[in-house]
Each structure stands twice: as structure tokens, then as C-alpha cells.
Amino acid sequence: MKKLDVYQQLLNSKLTVVVRGNSPEQAIETAEACIRGGVKSLEFTFTIPQAEKVIQHFSNYDGIIIGAGSVLDSETAKLAIHSGAEYIVGPNFSKETARLCNRYQVPYIPGCMTVNETIEALEFGSSIVKLFPGQAFSPSHIKAVKGPVPQVEIMPTGGVDLDNIQDWFRNGAVHVGVGGEVTRPAQQGNFEMVTANAKLFIEAVEEVFV
């Protein structure tokens, strides 16, 4: 899929669920539960054992965008891309990872906390930056950043829950990342609850854009 197409799908889907797991099998079950709940974008972190195999498993699912998360370096990004990841997400900004993703024309969404980091990410080709950790900021932070840097698109991740998700969007977020608020029941094997949580988040997002 072309880079611009992936960005457009991310902008359309509004919500990515960040999937972690103690095993590839647990991560796969968790992701499938999210899909049943209506999630269209999944980010598999490289904290999952054999994360590349999980990415490969979902790489041909119709209508689902697959990302790789917790990508700290260009070597991991390359492995993720060759495994089928359509976008790369990091907790930090890495020039080497940005160059690698540009080479393969794969979107890179780096984690940024400061305006300096944000501008550097833009200069290296990122169209969306991840505000991380989101719980360190209030939703109004996005408006503050977009004052001097109106061209930046921001995706808060961490600290996004059902109580504040709509505030994030109303303050200018183009997309949000949610992890444990959706997937936590998977740790006890309760995948039905993961699906139920996913549905609640999808409904909350849809209310903002009706």
C-alpha cells in the first residue's frame, strides 16, 4: 500500500489499538478480539516475543492496517517492514529509522514530547507525530503546539481513555493510540471483554465525528 494511502486510512480510522502480549498466540487472540470489536488499525509492539510473526499473520487481513510499535532503531524497522508492517511507530524519534522508512516509503510515527522534537520529526518526513506519553499532558497541549506549528498532525498515545478520548479529538488530535484500556482483560484470557472494550472506544470516536 502506498504511503499516502496508509496515512489516509489512519486519518479515517481515528483509533489504533496497541497490542502487547506474553506470547505470539496471546497477541494474535487479542488482536482478533479487537477486530471483532470494529478496530481497523492495530499496532503490534516489538515487546511481543517473535513480533514479526504476529505482523506476518495479519499482513493480509482485508481492511485492517498493520503497524509495528516500540521500534527503537532502523534494524527493527526494516524487519517489521519486511514482515508486512504498513507503518512504524516509536516511543522516540530516530533519524536512522526516519531515513529507513523514507527509503521504503513507509510512514514513520515517532514519539515526541517537545516542540523541538516535533519539528525535527517533520523535517525528516513524518506526517504524524505521536504525543507520548500522553498521560503527561492534557488534551489542550495539542492546541498549544498547533498554535506555532499548525501543520503538525498529532496522535496522543498513553493515557487515552473513555473519559478523555473525545476531548483529545476536540483539541485537534487526528488519531489516538489506546492500549491497556482495551486489551487488559486479555491478560486473564477474557477476550470477549477485549471485544466489548473495543466497541466502546469505537462508539466514543464515532460520536465525535457524526
Side-chain angles (χ1 to χ4, degrees), residues 187-201:
Q187 296 295 325
Q188 286 76 47
N190 189 347
F191 298 103
E192 289 184 1
M193 184 59 70
V194 173
T195 297
N197 289 342
K199 287 179 178 178
L200 290 174
F201 273 87

Side-chain angles (χ1 to χ4, degrees), residues 24-169:
E25 294 77 17
Q26 185 186 60
I28 287 170
E29 282 195 76
T30 302
E32 288 176 342
C34 291
I35 292 170
R36 290 193 295 273
V39 173
K40 300 296 184 185
S41 177
L42 294 164
E43 174 191 324
F44 296 102
T45 71
F46 264 81
T47 57
I48 302 168
Q50 300 177 306
E52 68 277 9
K53 293 185 178 179
V54 181
I55 292 169
Q56 287 171 353
H57 177 87
F58 288 96
S59 61
N60 292 317
Y61 272 49
D62 287 338
I64 306 297
I65 325 167
I66 301 302
S70 300
V71 175
L72 304 178
D73 50 54
S74 59
E75 293 84 0
T76 305
K78 188 173 184 179
L79 173 61
I81 291 166
H82 285 310
S83 299
E86 295 171 286
Y87 63 94
I88 302 296
V89 184
N92 64 319
F93 171 70
S94 160
K95 294 178 183 178
E96 292 76 18
T97 303
R99 290 192 183 99
L100 184 283
C101 290
N102 283 335
R103 186 178 309 142
Y104 286 95
Q105 286 296 285
V106 170
Y108 174 44
I109 305 174
C112 298
M113 289 185 71
T114 67
V115 173
N116 277 345
E117 289 174 325
T118 297
I119 291 174
E120 187 173 32
L122 293 178
E123 290 173 346
F124 274 80
S126 293
S127 294
I128 302 173
V129 299
K130 179 172 80 166
L131 180 63
F132 179 80
Q135 57 262 50
F137 303 91
S138 70
S140 63
H141 177 80
I142 294 180
K143 276 189 176 177
V145 172
K146 288 179 74 71
V149 194
Q151 70 272 29
V152 67
E153 304 290 14
I154 297 176
M155 166 185 164
T157 302
V160 178
D161 56 35
L162 288 171
D163 292 329
N164 64 25
I165 186 170
Q166 296 183 346
D167 287 336
W168 282 110
F169 283 115

Side-chain angles (χ1 to χ4, degrees), residues 17-29:
V17 174
V18 181
V19 178
R20 302 182 184 275
N22 298 322
S23 68
E25 294 77 17
Q26 185 186 60
I28 287 170
E29 282 195 76

